[in-house]
Amino acid sequence: MESNEKSLNLEEVRRQLKKEQRSVRIRAFTKNKLSMAGLVLVLLMILIALFAPVIAGYEPNEMVVRDRLMAPCLAHPFGTDSLGRDVLTSVVYGARISLLVGFVVSLASGLIGMVIGLYASYNKILDNILMRICDGMKAIPNIMLAICLMASLGASIRNVLISLTVVCIPGIAQLARSQALSVREQTYVEAMDALGAKTNRILWGHIAPNILSSIIVQMTFNFATAILSEASLSFLGAGVPSSVPSWGSILNEGMNNIYTAWWLIIFPGIFTALTVLGLNLLGDGLRDFLDPLTN
């Protein structure tokens, strides 16, 4: 009876310690002004994307030719483009495309890269094959690889998602592999391996949870990278179709009218910069929050 009571007390103490550690981390995260600023910026962009129909006073492709290249005014706070479309409407609807691309690419590349990294860390043959492929892909600049893939697949939102996911996978896979190799050296993992535990149980039950925090942090940076890459592809004319509102396509049109319509450069540029800044600040805060060694 006494031994059972002691074990229960120890378990209660462990739960209490974990709860206190979690509370300390949350307080540290909320006190980090830069992290909170990043969170506010990201939430603001999400709200703008969700309520785009409410914020925008026009349809995304509604054209009024007589109002073309109109400077910012009460009727058009962000001005109009060369076809008479409201730039504010294009920018807020463009937030939907950018956030959708960033979220899907970061999630898909994170999951696929994690799977590749985990199995590469546990199988030498797979390691040699998969990591050499990743090294070869990393040798090509990301934007160049994305452009080549888009040229092969064609301009569409689906192909942008596929191209950017492929571009982001090698970085996640290499990170997952390095973290998994470190966890494999832990005594409890070696003991389970010696006792004959199945590979999948070791990988997903014990190694994956220990590397998940690093993967999540990298996914936030991939989110920002995907937004920038999508804007770059659309700016170059290799991204989403021109009929779809996108920050990059607005910037592309602004380049052609840079001396007469400065608002086509300024407003989508500000939204892109704030979104990427917010994601990077939030990623730094998450890294400190999820890594126990920094708390």
Side-chain angles (χ1 to χ4, degrees):
M1 290 292 293
E2 290 182 2
S3 61
N4 289 336
E5 289 179 0
K6 287 181 180 180
S7 62
L8 289 174
N9 290 334
L10 286 173
E11 189 64 31
E12 184 64 29
V13 169
R14 289 195 192 97
R15 282 198 294 266
Q16 190 65 27
L17 285 173
K18 287 182 179 179
K19 186 177 180 180
E20 290 178 1
Q21 289 174 353
R22 194 180 301 113
S23 299
V24 169
R25 292 188 190 181
I26 293 173
R27 285 197 298 270
F29 180 81
T30 54
K31 288 181 180 178
N32 188 329
K33 294 181 180 179
L34 291 178
S35 300
M36 293 306 296
L39 179 61
V40 169
L41 285 173
V42 173
L43 290 177
L44 178 62
M45 293 301 168
I46 292 173
L47 289 174
I48 288 173
L50 290 175
F51 294 100
V54 178
I55 298 171
Y58 305 87
E59 291 297 320
N61 291 313
E62 183 178 346
M63 295 181 288
V64 182
V65 179
R66 67 175 180 273
D67 293 339
R68 61 186 300 273
L69 295 179
M70 181 181 290
C73 59
L74 289 177
H76 302 282
F78 286 7
T80 61
D81 61 12
S82 61
L83 296 176
R85 293 174 297 190
D86 182 59
V87 176
L88 173 60
T89 301
S90 298
V91 168
V92 295
Y93 274 95
R96 288 184 164 187
I97 298 299
S98 295
L99 292 177
L100 172 66
V101 169
F103 176 76
V104 173
V105 169
S106 62
L107 182 62
S109 63
L111 292 175
I112 297 172
M114 187 173 176
V115 171
I116 292 174
L118 283 173
Y119 284 99
S121 71
Y122 224 79
N123 187 298
K124 290 184 178 180
I125 297 176
L126 281 177
D127 186 20
N128 288 328
I129 296 173
L130 295 175
M131 288 304 106
R132 297 300 75 76
I133 294 174
C134 289
D135 289 339
M137 294 174 64
K138 293 280 285 185
I140 305 172
N142 288 347
I143 190 64
M144 293 298 296
L145 180 57
I147 291 173
C148 291
L149 290 171
M150 287 302 299
S152 302
L153 298 173
S156 69
I157 296 177
R158 184 191 65 182
N159 292 339
V160 168
L161 296 174
I162 294 172
S163 300
L164 295 182
T165 298
V166 171
V167 167
C168 291
I169 285 174
I172 292 283
Q174 290 176 337
L175 174 64
R177 173 185 174 273
S178 64
Q179 294 287 321
L181 287 174
S182 177
V183 175
R184 272 196 64 186
E185 300 299 323
Q186 300 294 324
T187 305
Y188 72 93
V189 176
E190 293 181 348
M192 291 191 65
D193 200 3
L195 290 171
K198 293 183 178 180
T199 301
N200 285 332
R201 180 185 174 188
I202 296 174
L203 288 176
W204 296 105
H206 299 277
I207 296 180
N210 284 286
I211 71 171
L212 188 59
S213 60
S214 299
I215 301 300
I216 291 174
V217 171
Q218 187 60 39
M219 285 170 62
T220 62
F221 295 124
N222 278 357
F223 200 134
T225 300
I227 289 176
L228 278 178
S229 298
E230 183 276 323
S232 300
L233 289 172
S234 298
F235 176 77
L236 295 171
V240 298
S242 57
S243 59
V244 179
S246 167
W247 292 340
S249 59
I250 302 172
L251 289 169
N252 176 274
E253 186 173 357
M255 179 185 65
N256 299 324
N257 301 280
I258 190 170
Y259 296 110
T260 57
W262 53 266
W263 51 90
L264 292 175
I265 295 290
I266 296 297
F267 293 117
I270 288 174
F271 271 70
T272 304
L274 289 177
T275 305
V276 173
L277 175 64
L279 287 166
N280 284 329
L281 292 176
L282 181 60
D284 286 334
L286 284 175
R287 179 172 54 195
D288 296 336
F289 174 73
L290 293 171
D291 187 358
L293 297 178
T294 61
N295 289 283

